[in-house]
Amino acid sequence: MSQVFDHQQIEAKWIQKWQETKLYKTPDINQGDQKKYILETFPYPSGYAMHVGHAKGYVGSDVTARYWRMKGYKVLYPMGWDAFGLPAENYAIKTGIHPRPNTENTIEVSKNQLNKIGLSYDWDREIGTHRPDYYRWTQWFFQFLYKRGLAYKKDSLVNWDPVDKTVLANEQVLADGTAERSGAVVEQRMMSQWFFKITDYADRLIDDLDKVDWPDSTKLMQRNWVGRSVGAEVDFRIEGSAEKIRVFTTAHDTIFGCTFVVLSPEHKLVDSVTTAENIALISEYKEQAKSKSQLQRTDLNKDKNGLFTGSFAINPINGEKIEIWVADYVLSNYGTGAVMGVPGNDERDFEFANKYSLPIIFTADKEEFISYSEKIKPEKIKHTLINSGKYTGINFEQARELILNDLINLGAGEAKLSFRLRDWSISRQRYWGCPIPVLYKPKENTGEGGMTDGDWEVELVPETDLPVILPEDVEFAPTGRSPLLDHKEFHQSAQKYGTGYKRESDTMDTFVDSSWYFFRYCSPVNDNTFADPEEMKKWMPVDQYIIGAEHSNMHLLYARFFTKVLFDAGLINFDEPFLRVRHQGMVAGEDARKMSKRWGNVVNPNDVCDEVGADSLRTYEMFMGPFKDGLPWSTSTIKGVKRFLDKVWKMQDKIVDVENEKIESSLHRLIKKIGSDIEDLSFNTAVAEYMKFSNLVDEIGGVSNSQFARFLKVLAPFAPFMAEEIWQNLYHKGQGFEAKNSIHKQLWPVFDESLTVDDEVVIGVQINGKTRGEVLVDEKDNSDSVLEKVKQDEKLVKYFEGEIVKVIYVPKRIFNVIVK
RNA sequence: GCCGAGAUGGCGGAAUGGUAGACGCGAAGGACUUAAAAUCCUUUAUCUUCGGGUGUGGGGGUUCGAGUCCCCCUUUCGGCACCA
């Protein structure tokens, strides 16, 4: 009789032995070897330990990695730390403890948690974005983009907290426009910031989505985020002026309905079109708009207001004279900052026209408002033009072409794609991030009264001097300035490049750190390049990336952008980094609320491991429901999973000499099903399959040695500790542990397809589409022979009084008789 | 408002257009026990006149057959938002 499964002692033993023997070391790989690169989002060690919700995604990845190893694939399954960023810095500010020791400490704690649940990472490949050997290459990427003309500086608005005197991230600004922390009303402030020119890649970021296997909803989110719209730019001559107003429109076929033009308050032509009597009002309006934050401007509850400038424009298509207005519902940073007002087509324009009694002309033979952006289904907007001069009666699609051509011929327009995507702002006025490797050289004749941005020239820090080290002794409490600005030595050290040189004091957005980490895993110890090209050829692209749906959009977009730039530079031979993306759902607390300290519903995986064991935790998290769904934690369900594993443990004592046929065929089905379920990430049904098998063994009363061995192998990815313990007990008892004898080094058992199908099966019998009974059919049966069987069935015979009109037999599925 | 994903027993959920409710939890009854825990066995969608009827948010439709496909509606959860 075996002892009870002492999970605490046994799991600790295997964690240690697996580490000692480097069981999960990444194998050497040759190009062309069958490989799988299994990736998952790396956590940010902010100061708080992980909870079981984090564990779920990791266990799912681990099961997959273990499976592919057993299938004979070379598997890269690494882990690291997304350590820079706001959470760690805020935790530091809160506790007064410097983020570095704090981060390293959290990493230690988290690493132990991950090991405790049996995740099979190759820790030799661990990376941390906050470590100089890593961020040296984050800085290289910055310079790489800069040299390719994809990093530039411009003035841009930031959220400014006047009380805390600091720049806020969007997530720190509440919906009412106040700061989350201080409660102050957030202002918009101009600041000179670094940008990456991701808009250069807008088209490819949409088009290349066709190449990858991602959830449709995720692809759609990316498409909508980039937001390509097909339209035209049209020039409206200003009456009595040589100037023209250029507008962007996605609906140039509605141009006959254009009854006014609206400029954004920031538009450069506002001043010149404003007539003398309107100057006072308009400049006041402009001032108001300036003081409004983007949030306020967009939260105005659709109350559109604006002012007439006093000038008129000429509609190029029909020569109509229309009023030029200024309104802040038009944004300066989208399109051209000016729109043609088409109240018959656009809801906002309609509201605006109503409010100020501007004319409304309908140009579509449908009253509903229509839009042409790509997200609207084409069949919903088919219509014919009305009130449109010579184009009246023409289908809108044709009209679009005709009108555009005519506008081009008139010299008053051109076809234009527009994108919603904006360039990526990467400057952060924060301490805990990667320094931007840039120097500022003072210009010769500096102006009087302090230096402004224009008095400096940008120079890259020489590559041989990278990394620019993030100083440790920095005052990281908020002061209203980039913490590095006031670090004397940091800037002093720039003097070696020339007198008066200073360093860039902002740090990079942490999205930059995480936009290339998956390359680094291919050769994490490497001083010569961000990742060895040969190693990348062997491992990349990523075969499976598991990431939470909530925060995947931006990250995926940025990582794809980096990949495409590297591809264009000839540094890699693929232009999409993640072949397959899947999402894992969050685990909520037992009260169905988000797990957080606030609700006191956080479950620490360590506690669960201590109580019921890591195998139970793992198997339960896979069993609780569909992997991609968010589900509440359930203490009672985990007991059921533990019950199942205890049964497996007891199977050791039920090994018999006779090989039962029923168990054998059930085992073949199991091997097949577990394999396909793991590949589909359908873990919950896989676990149900194990349970069925163990129930069958219970029923039969025994299992053969060979059958049990195969069962243990397919169980190993889910319950690696128990599988290993039993495996060693049965086959290597008394021997010292050797890596090659580990169950995790065994090959996945093969199944015989013919054994997975039953010769005989009970199917449902339908009479006129209603299920009335069942009948046992076998392989040889055809429609006629089944009908004979059905007619002989006592329960069914009564339905055959009428004439049989039709018989449908789907072999081994359903038998349906239509009787009159 | 727009976009996306959902809605199936008391609960979590299962189901290539083919016998709805696999598997687990919970519950009820029983066995073992002085007793409890643990374990094991049985039952468990629902109504029923025991023939059968009704059931996958609601209403239509396609089909021999719909949880699954199509149209409309209700509702829950995510994401985005004056994008011209």
Side-chain angles (χ1 to χ4, degrees), chain A residues 649-674:
Chain A
W649 180 251
K650 286 180 195 153
M651 270 191 220
Q652 292 180 86
D653 305 320
K654 292 185 184 169
I655 294 178
V656 292
D657 291 336
V658 208
E659 193 140 288
N660 180 284
E661 267 181 44
K662 220 170 152 188
I663 289 185
E664 186 65 17
S665 69
S666 170
L667 182 60
H668 283 254
R669 266 197 295 269
L670 179 76
I671 296 165
K672 181 182 180 181
K673 178 88 165 108
I674 300 298

mmCIF file of all heavy atoms in Angstrom, chain A residues 649-674:
data_model
loop_
_atom_site.group_PDB
_atom_site.id
_atom_site.type_symbol
_atom_site.label_atom_id
_atom_site.label_comp_id
_atom_site.label_asym_id
_atom_site.label_seq_id
_atom_site.Cartn_x
_atom_site.Cartn_y
_atom_site.Cartn_z
ATOM 1 N N TRP A 649 -3.492 8.646 -7.611
ATOM 2 C CA TRP A 649 -2.442 8.180 -6.700
ATOM 3 C C TRP A 649 -2.715 6.737 -6.269
ATOM 4 O O TRP A 649 -1.813 5.905 -6.219
ATOM 5 C CB TRP A 649 -2.374 9.110 -5.492
ATOM 6 C CG TRP A 649 -1.328 8.741 -4.470
ATOM 7 C CD1 TRP A 649 -1.559 8.227 -3.232
ATOM 8 C CD2 TRP A 649 0.078 8.864 -4.610
ATOM 9 N NE1 TRP A 649 -0.381 8.012 -2.579
ATOM 10 C CE2 TRP A 649 0.651 8.396 -3.411
ATOM 11 C CE3 TRP A 649 0.928 9.310 -5.625
ATOM 12 C CZ2 TRP A 649 2.034 8.363 -3.186
ATOM 13 C CZ3 TRP A 649 2.298 9.286 -5.413
ATOM 14 C CH2 TRP A 649 2.838 8.812 -4.212
ATOM 15 N N LYS A 650 -3.953 6.460 -6.016
ATOM 16 C CA LYS A 650 -4.318 5.128 -5.551
ATOM 17 C C LYS A 650 -4.283 4.088 -6.668
ATOM 18 O O LYS A 650 -4.278 2.878 -6.390
ATOM 19 C CB LYS A 650 -5.715 5.153 -4.924
ATOM 20 C CG LYS A 650 -5.722 5.806 -3.561
ATOM 21 C CD LYS A 650 -7.125 5.789 -2.991
ATOM 22 C CE LYS A 650 -7.251 6.748 -1.820
ATOM 23 N NZ LYS A 650 -8.631 7.213 -1.670
ATOM 24 N N MET A 651 -4.301 4.551 -7.894
ATOM 25 C CA MET A 651 -4.232 3.597 -9.017
ATOM 26 C C MET A 651 -2.963 2.766 -8.959
ATOM 27 O O MET A 651 -2.918 1.663 -9.506
ATOM 28 C CB MET A 651 -4.267 4.358 -10.347
ATOM 29 C CG MET A 651 -5.646 4.590 -10.908
ATOM 30 S SD MET A 651 -5.459 5.204 -12.602
ATOM 31 C CE MET A 651 -6.728 6.434 -12.626
ATOM 32 N N GLN A 652 -1.933 3.299 -8.331
ATOM 33 C CA GLN A 652 -0.685 2.540 -8.186
ATOM 34 C C GLN A 652 -0.941 1.162 -7.591
ATOM 35 O O GLN A 652 -0.218 0.210 -7.874
ATOM 36 C CB GLN A 652 0.282 3.258 -7.240
ATOM 37 C CG GLN A 652 0.835 4.546 -7.748
ATOM 38 C CD GLN A 652 1.776 5.165 -6.727
ATOM 39 O OE1 GLN A 652 2.953 4.843 -6.687
ATOM 40 N NE2 GLN A 652 1.223 6.024 -5.877
ATOM 41 N N ASP A 653 -1.942 1.105 -6.724
ATOM 42 C CA ASP A 653 -2.213 -0.148 -6.028
ATOM 43 C C ASP A 653 -3.205 -1.022 -6.780
ATOM 44 O O ASP A 653 -3.617 -2.064 -6.291
ATOM 45 C CB ASP A 653 -2.773 0.152 -4.632
ATOM 46 C CG ASP A 653 -1.834 1.054 -3.855
ATOM 47 O OD1 ASP A 653 -0.605 0.854 -3.950
ATOM 48 O OD2 ASP A 653 -2.325 1.988 -3.181
ATOM 49 N N LYS A 654 -3.607 -0.547 -7.944
ATOM 50 C CA LYS A 654 -4.604 -1.303 -8.693
ATOM 51 C C LYS A 654 -4.029 -1.874 -9.973
ATOM 52 O O LYS A 654 -4.766 -2.167 -10.921
ATOM 53 C CB LYS A 654 -5.788 -0.384 -9.056
ATOM 54 C CG LYS A 654 -6.592 0.051 -7.854
ATOM 55 C CD LYS A 654 -7.798 0.844 -8.313
ATOM 56 C CE LYS A 654 -8.582 1.387 -7.128
ATOM 57 N NZ LYS A 654 -9.587 2.359 -7.577
ATOM 58 N N ILE A 655 -2.716 -1.964 -10.033
ATOM 59 C CA ILE A 655 -2.104 -2.480 -11.262
ATOM 60 C C ILE A 655 -2.283 -3.983 -11.329
ATOM 61 O O ILE A 655 -1.975 -4.704 -10.373
ATOM 62 C CB ILE A 655 -0.625 -2.075 -11.333
ATOM 63 C CG1 ILE A 655 -0.548 -0.561 -11.462
ATOM 64 C CG2 ILE A 655 0.081 -2.766 -12.496
ATOM 65 C CD1 ILE A 655 0.826 0.001 -11.489
ATOM 66 N N VAL A 656 -2.830 -4.436 -12.450
ATOM 67 C CA VAL A 656 -3.133 -5.864 -12.620
ATOM 68 C C VAL A 656 -2.444 -6.375 -13.880
ATOM 69 O O VAL A 656 -1.960 -5.597 -14.705
ATOM 70 C CB VAL A 656 -4.661 -6.085 -12.742
ATOM 71 C CG1 VAL A 656 -5.349 -5.766 -11.433
ATOM 72 C CG2 VAL A 656 -5.250 -5.255 -13.878
ATOM 73 N N ASP A 657 -2.389 -7.699 -14.017
ATOM 74 C CA ASP A 657 -1.709 -8.279 -15.171
ATOM 75 C C ASP A 657 -2.571 -8.280 -16.420
ATOM 76 O O ASP A 657 -2.061 -8.196 -17.528
ATOM 77 C CB ASP A 657 -1.279 -9.721 -14.855
ATOM 78 C CG ASP A 657 -0.171 -9.706 -13.809
ATOM 79 O OD1 ASP A 657 0.520 -8.670 -13.721
ATOM 80 O OD2 ASP A 657 -0.029 -10.691 -13.073
ATOM 81 N N VAL A 658 -3.877 -8.355 -16.204
ATOM 82 C CA VAL A 658 -4.762 -8.452 -17.366
ATOM 83 C C VAL A 658 -4.954 -7.089 -18.003
ATOM 84 O O VAL A 658 -5.193 -6.108 -17.304
ATOM 85 C CB VAL A 658 -6.163 -8.962 -16.948
ATOM 86 C CG1 VAL A 658 -6.817 -9.690 -18.106
ATOM 87 C CG2 VAL A 658 -6.070 -9.790 -15.689
ATOM 88 N N GLU A 659 -4.855 -7.037 -19.302
ATOM 89 C CA GLU A 659 -5.068 -5.771 -20.003
ATOM 90 C C GLU A 659 -6.513 -5.711 -20.473
ATOM 91 O O GLU A 659 -6.899 -6.424 -21.391
ATOM 92 C CB GLU A 659 -4.108 -5.672 -21.187
ATOM 93 C CG GLU A 659 -4.045 -4.276 -21.765
ATOM 94 C CD GLU A 659 -2.618 -3.899 -22.133
ATOM 95 O OE1 GLU A 659 -1.791 -3.652 -21.224
ATOM 96 O OE2 GLU A 659 -2.343 -3.854 -23.332
ATOM 97 N N ASN A 660 -7.287 -4.871 -19.836
ATOM 98 C CA ASN A 660 -8.702 -4.765 -20.184
ATOM 99 C C ASN A 660 -8.894 -4.011 -21.491
ATOM 100 O O ASN A 660 -8.339 -2.939 -21.690
ATOM 101 C CB ASN A 660 -9.433 -4.045 -19.027
ATOM 102 C CG ASN A 660 -10.906 -3.896 -19.310
ATOM 103 O OD1 ASN A 660 -11.305 -3.052 -20.110
ATOM 104 N ND2 ASN A 660 -11.714 -4.725 -18.668
ATOM 105 N N GLU A 661 -9.718 -4.575 -22.377
ATOM 106 C CA GLU A 661 -9.904 -3.991 -23.709
ATOM 107 C C GLU A 661 -10.610 -2.651 -23.665
ATOM 108 O O GLU A 661 -10.288 -1.732 -24.405
ATOM 109 C CB GLU A 661 -10.740 -4.939 -24.582
ATOM 110 C CG GLU A 661 -9.924 -5.882 -25.403
ATOM 111 C CD GLU A 661 -10.824 -6.751 -26.256
ATOM 112 O OE1 GLU A 661 -11.775 -6.197 -26.855
ATOM 113 O OE2 GLU A 661 -10.593 -7.978 -26.290
ATOM 114 N N LYS A 662 -11.586 -2.592 -22.804
ATOM 115 C CA LYS A 662 -12.359 -1.353 -22.693
ATOM 116 C C LYS A 662 -11.443 -0.209 -22.239
ATOM 117 O O LYS A 662 -11.522 0.912 -22.755
ATOM 118 C CB LYS A 662 -13.476 -1.564 -21.673
ATOM 119 C CG LYS A 662 -14.789 -0.930 -22.072
ATOM 120 C CD LYS A 662 -15.896 -1.385 -21.154
ATOM 121 C CE LYS A 662 -16.990 -0.346 -21.052
ATOM 122 N NZ LYS A 662 -17.995 -0.679 -20.025
ATOM 123 N N ILE A 663 -10.599 -0.521 -21.250
ATOM 124 C CA ILE A 663 -9.664 0.492 -20.785
ATOM 125 C C ILE A 663 -8.702 0.862 -21.900
ATOM 126 O O ILE A 663 -8.387 2.033 -22.113
ATOM 127 C CB ILE A 663 -8.899 -0.008 -19.541
ATOM 128 C CG1 ILE A 663 -9.845 -0.053 -18.340
ATOM 129 C CG2 ILE A 663 -7.701 0.878 -19.256
ATOM 130 C CD1 ILE A 663 -9.198 -0.413 -17.037
ATOM 131 N N GLU A 664 -8.267 -0.152 -22.646
ATOM 132 C CA GLU A 664 -7.312 0.100 -23.721
ATOM 133 C C GLU A 664 -7.884 1.080 -24.756
ATOM 134 O O GLU A 664 -7.233 2.059 -25.116
ATOM 135 C CB GLU A 664 -6.921 -1.221 -24.393
ATOM 136 C CG GLU A 664 -5.812 -1.091 -25.434
ATOM 137 C CD GLU A 664 -4.456 -0.664 -24.853
ATOM 138 O OE1 GLU A 664 -4.287 -0.778 -23.617
ATOM 139 O OE2 GLU A 664 -3.600 -0.202 -25.623
ATOM 140 N N SER A 665 -9.098 0.816 -25.209
ATOM 141 C CA SER A 665 -9.634 1.712 -26.238
ATOM 142 C C SER A 665 -9.931 3.078 -25.649
ATOM 143 O O SER A 665 -9.748 4.110 -26.299
ATOM 144 C CB SER A 665 -10.875 1.108 -26.895
ATOM 145 O OG SER A 665 -11.936 1.093 -25.982
ATOM 146 N N SER A 666 -10.364 3.085 -24.407
ATOM 147 C CA SER A 666 -10.602 4.363 -23.744
ATOM 148 C C SER A 666 -9.295 5.164 -23.616
ATOM 149 O O SER A 666 -9.273 6.380 -23.764
ATOM 150 C CB SER A 666 -11.212 4.092 -22.372
ATOM 151 O OG SER A 666 -11.254 5.259 -21.616
ATOM 152 N N LEU A 667 -8.211 4.447 -23.376
ATOM 153 C CA LEU A 667 -6.903 5.095 -23.257
ATOM 154 C C LEU A 667 -6.472 5.713 -24.592
ATOM 155 O O LEU A 667 -5.952 6.822 -24.638
ATOM 156 C CB LEU A 667 -5.867 4.072 -22.781
ATOM 157 C CG LEU A 667 -4.454 4.579 -22.544
ATOM 158 C CD1 LEU A 667 -4.420 5.661 -21.475
ATOM 159 C CD2 LEU A 667 -3.547 3.426 -22.125
ATOM 160 N N HIS A 668 -6.724 4.979 -25.673
ATOM 161 C CA HIS A 668 -6.367 5.518 -26.985
ATOM 162 C C HIS A 668 -7.160 6.778 -27.290
ATOM 163 O O HIS A 668 -6.624 7.743 -27.827
ATOM 164 C CB HIS A 668 -6.588 4.462 -28.079
ATOM 165 C CG HIS A 668 -5.496 3.439 -28.110
ATOM 166 N ND1 HIS A 668 -4.528 3.395 -29.070
ATOM 167 C CD2 HIS A 668 -5.198 2.439 -27.238
ATOM 168 C CE1 HIS A 668 -3.693 2.399 -28.817
ATOM 169 N NE2 HIS A 668 -4.085 1.796 -27.707
ATOM 170 N N ARG A 669 -8.423 6.738 -26.924
ATOM 171 C CA ARG A 669 -9.239 7.942 -27.099
ATOM 172 C C ARG A 669 -8.694 9.092 -26.253
ATOM 173 O O ARG A 669 -8.640 10.227 -26.694
ATOM 174 C CB ARG A 669 -10.690 7.661 -26.706
ATOM 175 C CG ARG A 669 -11.574 7.254 -27.876
ATOM 176 C CD ARG A 669 -13.040 7.389 -27.500
ATOM 177 N NE ARG A 669 -13.392 6.448 -26.449
ATOM 178 C CZ ARG A 669 -13.857 5.226 -26.672
ATOM 179 N NH1 ARG A 669 -14.033 4.810 -27.910
ATOM 180 N NH2 ARG A 669 -14.145 4.416 -25.679
ATOM 181 N N LEU A 670 -8.302 8.740 -25.045
ATOM 182 C CA LEU A 670 -7.781 9.753 -24.127
ATOM 183 C C LEU A 670 -6.533 10.422 -24.706
ATOM 184 O O LEU A 670 -6.421 11.639 -24.721
ATOM 185 C CB LEU A 670 -7.453 9.112 -22.773
ATOM 186 C CG LEU A 670 -6.885 10.047 -21.715
ATOM 187 C CD1 LEU A 670 -7.981 10.906 -21.116
ATOM 188 C CD2 LEU A 670 -6.176 9.279 -20.602
ATOM 189 N N ILE A 671 -5.604 9.595 -25.197
ATOM 190 C CA ILE A 671 -4.355 10.136 -25.747
ATOM 191 C C ILE A 671 -4.667 11.097 -26.894
ATOM 192 O O ILE A 671 -4.111 12.192 -26.982
ATOM 193 C CB ILE A 671 -3.444 8.995 -26.234
ATOM 194 C CG1 ILE A 671 -3.024 8.112 -25.053
ATOM 195 C CG2 ILE A 671 -2.210 9.556 -26.939
ATOM 196 C CD1 ILE A 671 -2.433 6.777 -25.457
ATOM 197 N N LYS A 672 -5.593 10.681 -27.742
ATOM 198 C CA LYS A 672 -5.958 11.517 -28.873
ATOM 199 C C LYS A 672 -6.597 12.828 -28.417
ATOM 200 O O LYS A 672 -6.225 13.914 -28.840
ATOM 201 C CB LYS A 672 -6.935 10.753 -29.768
ATOM 202 C CG LYS A 672 -7.365 11.511 -30.998
ATOM 203 C CD LYS A 672 -8.377 10.725 -31.816
ATOM 204 C CE LYS A 672 -8.788 11.521 -33.045
ATOM 205 N NZ LYS A 672 -9.784 10.789 -33.856
ATOM 206 N N LYS A 673 -7.563 12.692 -27.527
ATOM 207 C CA LYS A 673 -8.341 13.852 -27.074
ATOM 208 C C LYS A 673 -7.471 14.848 -26.301
ATOM 209 O O LYS A 673 -7.578 16.062 -26.506
ATOM 210 C CB LYS A 673 -9.498 13.361 -26.201
ATOM 211 C CG LYS A 673 -10.367 14.459 -25.615
ATOM 212 C CD LYS A 673 -11.504 14.840 -26.550
ATOM 213 C CE LYS A 673 -12.562 15.653 -25.814
ATOM 214 N NZ LYS A 673 -12.548 17.059 -26.207
ATOM 215 N N ILE A 674 -6.624 14.343 -25.413
ATOM 216 C CA ILE A 674 -5.779 15.252 -24.646
ATOM 217 C C ILE A 674 -4.868 16.030 -25.583
ATOM 218 O O ILE A 674 -4.706 17.248 -25.450
ATOM 219 C CB ILE A 674 -4.936 14.490 -23.597
ATOM 220 C CG1 ILE A 674 -5.823 13.741 -22.606
ATOM 221 C CG2 ILE A 674 -3.996 15.448 -22.865
ATOM 222 C CD1 ILE A 674 -6.723 14.597 -21.771
#
